[in-house]
Amino acid sequence: QTSPMLADGTKITDLVMPATREVQMRVLSDPEIYDLEMERIFGKIWNFLGHESEIPDPGDFVVRDMGSDQVIISRDKAGEVHVMLNVCPHRGMRVSVLDGGNTQIHKCIYHGWAFRPNGDFIGAPVEKECMHGKMMCKEELGLKKARVTLYGGLIFATWNIEGPSFEEFLGDAKWYYDILFKRSDRGLEVLGPPQRFVVRANWKAAGEQSAADGFHTLTLHRWLGEVGNYAKKNDDGTSADLSPEMYGVEISSPHGHALRCIDLARKISRLTGLDPKELSVQQKLDALPPAGMHKDMVEQLARNLSPEQLQVLTTMPPQVGGIFPNVLFGFVYIPQPDGSVLGSLTLHAYVPRGPDKLEFVNWILAEKDAPQELRERILKQTIQLFGTSGMVEQDDSDTWPHMTLSAKGAMGKKQTLKYQAVYETGAPEGWPGPGMVNEGFTKDDTQWHWWMYWRELMTSEV
Ligand code: FES
Ligand code: FE
């Protein structure tokens, strides 16, 4: 049974206040709340850990964090992907002390217990003398295994063996995510290992933003619209009003997932100078192929998506979104000096590393069928935009530590976060997709629904 109270008597339900759409600011720094999150959120949900193209061959493995635990993600001889706790069942040493590699035997450096890529116990040195088999049999001595699912090659795992399926966890959002992750014949793959860096911030400062926060773009990232290839100028050379770019459709889900879709016609006229009204669907896709995809691959879309999904992709394509609780994806168009447009595709995980520290893990992807020249450009330009010192991430990763510090102040921690921009528009006419859908200028709704699911998990029984 889950305790409904914090040690100081605060009810956990009161941390998120639906009547006024406020959140108590202490959630961004409180160690007690952090510890509960590791059990009640990261210990239960489906955690995003990587992409199967990172471990293409039998024996390949990478080591990642799943909430507060480290796990080994490996591929066995049969090609199956496994996720196992990186904790030796003998005396708790980390079985792998590497970031990744290839092996058929994971051998603990402490006393030499050895395990297969699927986590099964193989044996220990001088086994007969050390392991009489009187207490526990070999089957009981393997690594703790998580439940694993692959979705469009993305690897998710959960400790909640009996809990909801991955499809149930995604809920309404799956219809949209399929447009992004399951749209081509051969699927996506990573362009090299992910970049990793630590930000001195609570994971939720980044996590709630990952729920498709478009509101901050006009101010925090405003300079992107004022300089270089990104600039939008009036005829007299002054900076243009960028707010029309913020109109679109936002989708929330009861499970905290979110999407922000942007009017493709506006994008096309802004970025290519073409008049979208004069373009067929095919010409629109040629003008702006979906991120990570070459225009020769566009014909694959109709094979893999329903007509309704294709309608969304060719009128109001998802640009950014989040998978609850800590994954952000961006399918972003980058203008090029020659007037063309490059579609960049990136996935971030904001992995908790304590109440005031997160590890930012950044994967860059492309379609497997994309030509090498396109992949190189995607990799280079996505790193420039979203990497360790990327132009976008320098902005975002500046705010999260400040928010975390604010939440540590004696007075600051008594304040609330206020999600006051409310959609009242509903879905556009003829919108074919599911979920809580609203049209218009970006609001606080998707973040608010993120917090409501956080509240639900924090107060539900373990
Ligand atoms: Fe791993 Fe002893 S702790 S073999
Ligand atoms: Fe941002």
Side-chain angles (χ1 to χ4, degrees):
Q1 186 82 23
T2 299
S3 163
M5 302 266 195
L6 297 175
D8 68 1
T10 303
K11 279 196 201 147
I12 294 172
T13 46
D14 290 345
L15 295 171
V16 176
M17 299 172 271
T20 51
R21 297 221 316 191
E22 289 175 274
V23 176
Q24 291 196 33
M25 201 144 156
R26 62 185 285 188
V27 301
L28 293 182
S29 65
D30 190 315
E32 186 187 3
I33 294 172
Y34 178 86
D35 287 345
L36 289 173
E37 289 168 340
M38 293 307 110
E39 295 278 345
R40 297 180 186 180
I41 296 180
F42 290 91
K44 284 169 70 178
I45 50 116
W46 285 94
N47 292 267
F48 171 62
L49 297 171
H51 193 274
E52 66 162 336
S53 57
E54 294 179 70
I55 46 168
D57 299 319
D60 282 352
F61 72 96
V62 290
V63 173
R64 296 276 151 79
D65 288 302
M66 181 161 146
S68 49
D69 293 300
Q70 204 174 67
V71 291
I72 301 171
I73 306 161
S74 68
R75 193 181 287 277
D76 68 14
K77 275 191 175 146
E80 204 177 326
V81 173
H82 300 270
V83 174
M84 297 110 36
L85 191 64
N86 188 18
V87 173
C88 182
H90 181 219
R91 301 245 213 106
M93 175 61 192
R94 289 212 197 287
V95 175
S96 177
V97 288
L98 304 171
D99 278 344
N102 181 290
T103 183
Q104 289 300 331
I105 302 172
H106 291 274
K107 185 174 160 192
C108 178
I109 60 166
Y110 198 178
H111 312 87
W113 282 31
F115 307 89
R116 290 189 208 291
N118 68 2
D120 287 351
F121 178 69
I122 300 171
V126 227
E127 192 175 336
K128 287 212 169 57
E129 285 75 15
C130 305
M131 313 277 292
H132 299 288
K134 286 180 183 161
M135 303 281 184
M136 297 174 78
C137 63
K138 276 190 165 186
E139 285 67 36
E140 294 173 280
L141 300 177
L143 301 178
K144 167 86 179 163
K145 296 182 194 185
R147 185 176 162 205
V148 180
T149 199
L150 298 179
Y151 170 68
L154 305 174
I155 303 167
F156 289 84
T158 180
W159 300 119
N160 197 358
I161 305 299
E162 304 293 331
S165 69
F166 182 71
E167 275 68 29
E168 287 171 81
F169 169 67
L170 282 192
D172 286 343
K174 183 177 183 298
W175 191 90
Y176 299 98
Y177 294 163
D178 285 354
I179 300 176
L180 304 173
F181 299 111
K182 302 184 84 168
R183 61 192 181 178
S184 64
D185 296 347
R186 293 182 63 225
L188 297 163
E189 66 181 356
V190 292
L191 300 179
Q195 294 186 306
R196 297 156 66 174
F197 55 103
V198 168
V199 182
R200 284 292 197 170
N202 183 277
W203 71 273
K204 295 188 294 306
E208 62 129 38
Q209 194 205 64
S210 76
D213 183 0
F215 212 158
H216 74 284
T217 316
L218 270 188
T219 36
L220 185 67
H221 302 307
R222 178 166 183 92
W223 69 276
L224 280 170
E226 295 181 342
V227 300
N229 297 335
Y230 303 96
K232 186 185 179 190
K233 301 274 189 206
N234 296 318
D235 291 342
D236 64 1
T238 55
S239 293
D241 176 16
L242 293 172
S243 56
E245 302 269 323
M246 294 293 111
Y247 284 81
V249 168
E250 290 185 352
I251 299 137
S252 318
S253 105
H255 288 170
H257 313 305
L259 276 160
R260 206 161 105 68
C261 303
I262 289 289
D263 187 343
L264 191 72
R266 268 186 230 266
K267 273 274 176 234
I268 287 176
S269 62
R270 150 99 194 271
L271 296 178
T272 68
L274 299 167
D275 182 355
K277 284 200 255 357
E278 292 176 359
L279 301 178
S280 66
V281 166
Q282 188 60 47
Q283 286 168 322
K284 282 185 199 168
L285 287 167
D286 287 346
L288 280 189
M293 184 173 264
H294 191 262
K295 64 181 177 190
D296 291 348
M297 300 175 61
V298 160
E299 43 116 17
Q300 295 185 15
L301 295 169
R303 271 204 293 280
N304 293 288
L305 303 176
S306 70
E308 292 78 18
Q309 288 171 315
L310 208 51
Q311 180 193 330
V312 167
L313 187 65
T314 54
T315 54
M316 205 58 88
Q319 290 277 281
V320 290
I323 302 173
F324 185 90
N326 64 335
V327 178
L328 173 134
F329 53 78
F331 286 63
V332 177
Y333 295 111
I334 309 176
Q336 304 293 294
D338 67 0
S340 65
V341 178
L342 181 77
S344 138
L345 205 168
T346 176
L347 269 154
H348 304 338
Y350 306 121
V351 182
R353 285 289 191 87
D356 55 4
K357 202 156 87 169
L358 67 86
E359 185 180 48
F360 189 131
V361 190
N362 176 31
W363 290 263
I364 299 165
L365 298 104
E367 294 288 349
K368 280 187 184 140
D369 285 343
Q372 188 58 26
E373 179 273 337
L374 178 63
R375 302 151 72 89
E376 282 167 16
R377 283 167 62 214
I378 291 174
L379 180 60
K380 188 169 166 217
Q381 296 199 27
T382 309
I383 287 173
Q384 283 172 354
L385 205 56
F386 295 105
T388 314
S389 56
M391 295 187 288
V392 172
E393 301 313 348
Q394 286 192 56
D395 296 339
D396 291 308
S397 58
D398 189 37
T399 56
W400 307 327
H402 284 121
M403 293 160 70
T404 306
L405 283 172
S406 302
K408 285 185 179 182
M411 185 52 74
K413 69 172 66 156
K414 293 182 192 144
Q415 305 305 303
T416 62
L417 313 167
K418 301 169 184 70
Y419 295 79
Q420 302 297 297
V422 183
Y423 267 124
E424 287 163 336
T425 44
E429 212 182 312
W431 183 260
M436 296 181 267
V437 183
N438 283 290
E439 168 183 39
F441 188 82
T442 178
K443 300 281 192 298
D444 287 328
D445 283 47
T446 49
Q447 289 75 55
W448 176 251
H449 293 131
W450 186 95
W451 279 110
M452 287 299 285
Y453 192 52
W454 180 88
R455 182 187 196 239
E456 186 182 322
L457 289 179
M458 288 290 279
T459 51
S460 61
E461 285 180 20
V462 174

